[in-house]
Amino acid sequence: MNNKPFILVVEDDRPIRHFMTVALEAQGYQCLETQTGNAAIALAMSHNPDIILLDLGLPDMDGKDVIHKIRPFTKAGIIVVSARGHEREKAEALDCGADDYLTKPFSVVELLARIRVAIRHLRPELKMNEVNQGNYQIGELFIDVNKYRVSIAGGEVHLTPIEFKIMALMAVHAGRVLTHHFILSQIWGEYTDSDRQSLRVFMGNIRRKIEIEPAQPRYILTEVGVGYRLVDE
Amino acid sequence: MMPEAPIKRGLLYLLKLLRLQKQNMQKQNIQNENMQKQNIQNQIKQLSITIGTLVLVTLMSFVFREVGIHETNIIVAYILGVLIVSTQTIGYFHGILASVIGVLTFNFFFTEPYYTFVAYRTDYPVTFLIMFIAAMMTSTLAEKVKSEKKRVEIREQRTLHLYRISQELIRARNVQQIVDVCSKELGVALQRGIIIQTQGDNGKLCGATLFNFKPTNQIEQFKLFYEQKGLELAYQCGTPTGFGTSIDNDLKSYYHPIKGQIGVLGVVGVDCFEGIILNPEQIQFLEAVCMQMAIALDRERLWGKQQKTKMEIEKERLRGNLLRGISHDLRTPLAGILGSTGTLIENDNTLTGAMRHELLFNIYEEVTWLIHTIENILSMTRIDEGKMEIHRSMEAAEELVAEAVYRIRKIASKHIVKTVIPENLVMVSVDSGLIEQVLINLLDNAMKYTEEGTMIEVSFKTEENKVVFEVKDYGKGMLEEEIPYVFERFYTSSKGGDSNRKGTGLGLAICKSIVNAHGGEIQVNNHSQGGACFTFYIPN
């Protein structure tokens, strides 16, 4: 694979498309632009990008349909872009196969951060938080998946089995947002509405055990209406 | 199974009808017996009045004869007796009877030869005839006066009644009250059961108000199928139907339409379950009440329209204000952006890196501010549309606070933010986007009016059946006289804080609207360490 990661930008608004391309190329990424969903599908198949930035408000197709069509054929990281207030749309896109999202209007800093996370998950050798197999370090948070141990700033944290499973799942996907649906189905399998409520309780407990200020978390961020994200640095 | 059910239902219905009829007939029989008994009693009473009076007059006349008073006085005394009988008895019969008996008695006792029915004097037949005619006339006159008096009494009652009804109707505040007043008054005046149905918003009859004059009235009969049909027919045709009319004469009630200015506004049904027709005077009274009702109903309708129009006007006014406020406040940052970008383009080769950076940074700040303000404006237009649609979901309060703090940090990070939350997870049912906006606006407000580097504290707790949020700053606090106005639209503090950016004055107003739409309240006060404390609660 070429060293420079290759990004497909699917966005119908010219100024936005332009600034994204400029910012990404300035970071050393290779970019290809297109304005429609159909063209995006064709380009994704033919050029095999590493990352696809997909706007959900495309004129010709519903973003979810684009994801449906290309997800089976590509391992690219798909980052969807959507307006504020459309949380459910984002969550659905994520559950359809997208890997992360950006909310318009977003800053270049956010854009680059998302791209970085997506690239790390594509190329495991770039994952900085995985010290060695099953061991994750993020800031002062250490997670040992094999030994079922979590510690923060040296002090061990006592998690219940489910809490640990959640932490492990988030560590594997560090930096990426995980929807409620994703976490519930990975940990619970089939789940009910009361399980949804339980997830909140578990996350609350985890935060209290790990964070200095649970309502201003350093590690486990809440994306209200979408899911949770463990930062990866 | 399908055909059986309706058949069964039909049979049950028939049985119910038959049972009702039997009950009715039994009642009629008892009533008839009672009436007959009363009749006999009445007759006996009146007969005794007649005979008694005549006997008294006769005795008096004997006295006259003894004392030597002339016999013309006796004649007049008899006429007086007849007059008394006429006034004290009902109908013409007793008056006439008294006339006849009077003449005969006079003949028997007071004409020569005494104690016979023969009279010698040739002028006695004339006397008898004139006496008889006089007696007849007085009795018929007395009877007329009586019935006239009775009619006048009834009319006076009706007028008083109508007056009272119109008074109560003026006080009525809605359609139901109008109908209640009229059904009660009609029921009491006509002494029958009443049903009133009025036109609803969709133009069809809706709601039925029943008045039961006496519990034995069986006003449930109004609800029977053909009775309903009769009522609806009166509504549609605008003519009376039912018992005593030419349409649907076999119904058990009389239905009278309430005619307004434009059309039929409703129907009044009067029970004729005892089989007695309404007399023309009663119908006149009913019509008069219906006219009053129509006026009141029309008035209600017009008042409702007026209220709606007022609201529309108010809405338009608010919208106009909002647009004006917005355009004014958006022009400033846009002017700034235009200027900065223009400068960059024009002077591309003469600007130093530092100048360029500053201009660009200005643009960045203006845009950030614009984004935040436009969020607020969008919320405001949602509120002004009339209904603030909240899409509630159960969220963890601490997650809402976390995201709000995270987002405010992206646009203003020069303060210390501290969060204080309870030990256990607190869930609250809210529209997450909106409540976050409240928190962000409160945080932004706190940051705007306090010094850089000071602390802002965000906390929440559960209390009884609500969740109480608090945003506290440690600045100089609010001026006491400002506190009542702070949540009003377009109100900005005259104290000013961050001289760079004055708000549109919408932030706190939106907080209030959103919190109110969730059923909660928001307030502000200065806390003990100086500084302002904004508190709002969301009921569970």
Side-chain angles (χ1 to χ4, degrees), chain B residues 292-309:
Chain B
Q292 300 258 25
M293 241 197 306
I295 293 174
L297 289 171
D298 266 334
R299 182 196 75 206
E300 275 310 303
R301 201 167 41 85
L302 284 173
W303 187 83
K305 261 202 206 153
Q306 192 193 39
Q307 289 305 102
K308 240 199 239 174
T309 311

Side-chain angles (χ1 to χ4, degrees), chain B residues 374-442:
Chain B
I374 287 178
E375 288 283 336
N376 275 342
I377 291 172
L378 277 175
S379 297
M380 203 48 124
T381 45
R382 270 173 76 188
I383 296 171
D384 280 355
E385 280 312 297
K387 6 177 208 162
M388 166 127 255
E389 276 172 32
I390 326 179
H391 299 122
R392 289 198 191 219
S393 55
M394 289 301 278
E395 303 289 346
E398 63 203 52
E399 292 180 359
L400 294 169
V401 170
E403 190 164 288
V405 172
Y406 179 74
R407 276 166 61 187
I408 198 80
R409 283 219 169 289
K410 287 202 274 185
I411 50 181
S413 56
K414 304 205 177 86
H415 288 72
I416 306 171
V417 177
K418 178 169 157 211
T419 59
V420 177
I421 63 174
E423 214 12 74
N424 50 320
L425 192 76
V426 173
M427 299 291 285
V428 60
S429 172
V430 290
D431 182 319
S432 58
L434 291 177
I435 291 298
E436 270 194 37
Q437 209 170 337
V438 172
L439 288 166
I440 287 178
N441 283 356
L442 290 176

Side-chain angles (χ1 to χ4, degrees), chain A residues 84 87 101 104-105 107-110 114 180 197 199-205 207-208 213-217 221-225 228, chain B residues 364 371 375 394-396 398-403 405-407 409-410 417-427 432-433 436 460:
Chain A
R84 174 160 314 287
E87 269 67 45
Y101 73 96
K104 277 201 273 205
S107 64
V108 173
V109 173
E110 289 175 64
R114 294 287 195 270
H180 301 293
Q197 181 95 334
L199 178 59
R200 305 293 176 94
V201 177
F202 284 120
M203 296 307 296
N205 289 339
R207 273 197 298 264
R208 278 166 179 70
E213 262 193 78
Q216 279 198 83
L221 304 181
T222 307
E223 324 256 323
V224 175
Y228 300 98
Chain B
Y364 190 84
I371 292 172
E375 288 283 336
M394 289 301 278
E395 303 289 346
E398 63 203 52
E399 292 180 359
L400 294 169
V401 170
E403 190 164 288
V405 172
Y406 179 74
R407 276 166 61 187
R409 283 219 169 289
K410 287 202 274 185
V417 177
K418 178 169 157 211
T419 59
V420 177
I421 63 174
E423 214 12 74
N424 50 320
L425 192 76
V426 173
M427 299 291 285
S432 58
E436 270 194 37
F460 61 87

